[in-house]
Amino acid sequence: CRMWRVAVWFIPVAAGKDRCTEELDGGRVAVWWWCAGGGGQEGAALAGRYRESVRALLGAARRPGALDGPVPTPLGSVPGPVALYLRMTDLLVHGWDLARATGQDAAAPDALAEHLVAFSEARLPDVPPERRPFAPSRPVAADAPAIDRLAALLGREVAVPT
């Protein structure tokens, strides 16, 4: 992710989120605005469109029955709640990527990151190696922030104190 422009970073992150929204909302996402680099949008306009798409995902997930059936994902068909966990994990880890690439601290609510570490540790062994979207887990200090442990679990290089 380090070599991408921030606007381009949004494309794969938004694509996954919008695919999940579409599946949960019965195929009702009419336009994937992220195609062609976010429609040429930059800065505040792109961020605004992204926030709109997050609201659409939340709305789709809240629709009665949306989480009852299986949801197709790149890892295979999973229960609706698992699809949301995958989305949250993906968004948090790519947020970590973006923060690191732009020289910022990768802050995240510790309780959420801890929850997603536990989810990922439990689910990762079930994913066949050829279907894993991330690199192999990397070493990280046991007392590192939960967001760093999640990033390392999913293949990101995290500085390990010597």
Side-chain angles (χ1 to χ4, degrees):
C1 291
R2 288 186 190 137
M3 308 230 1
W4 296 353
R5 288 182 37 236
V6 171
V8 174
W9 169 87
F10 275 100
I11 296 169
V13 173
K17 184 186 46 48
D18 287 353
R19 276 193 306 269
C20 187
T21 302
E22 183 174 47
E23 293 297 338
L24 292 176
D25 208 22
R28 290 183 236 178
V29 176
V31 177
W32 289 2
W33 60 267
W34 45 265
C35 291
Q41 296 181 24
E42 298 274 346
L46 186 58
R49 292 297 305 267
Y50 187 77
R51 282 190 293 277
E52 288 174 24
S53 69
V54 168
R55 283 191 288 275
L57 174 59
L58 293 173
R62 290 179 179 131
R63 188 176 52 79
L67 301 178
D68 294 346
V71 176
T73 74
L75 303 179
S77 187
V78 299
V82 172
L84 286 180
Y85 272 93
L86 292 171
R87 284 286 84 229
M88 288 187 292
T89 302
D90 191 58
L91 291 170
L92 210 58
V93 170
H94 285 303
W96 184 93
D97 291 333
L98 181 61
R100 290 295 172 104
T102 57
Q104 300 176 62
D105 287 331
D110 204 48
L112 174 61
E114 287 286 359
H115 198 73
L116 294 177
V117 166
F119 166 79
S120 297
E121 286 175 338
R123 287 294 185 156
L124 206 51
D126 297 336
V127 180
E130 69 276 5
R131 296 202 72 174
R132 289 186 183 171
F134 299 113
S137 297
R138 308 293 301 171
V140 65
D143 62 348
I147 184 64
D148 287 348
R149 288 186 282 114
L150 180 63
L153 178 64
L154 299 178
R156 274 47 176 188
E157 189 68 49
V158 178
V160 179
T162 55

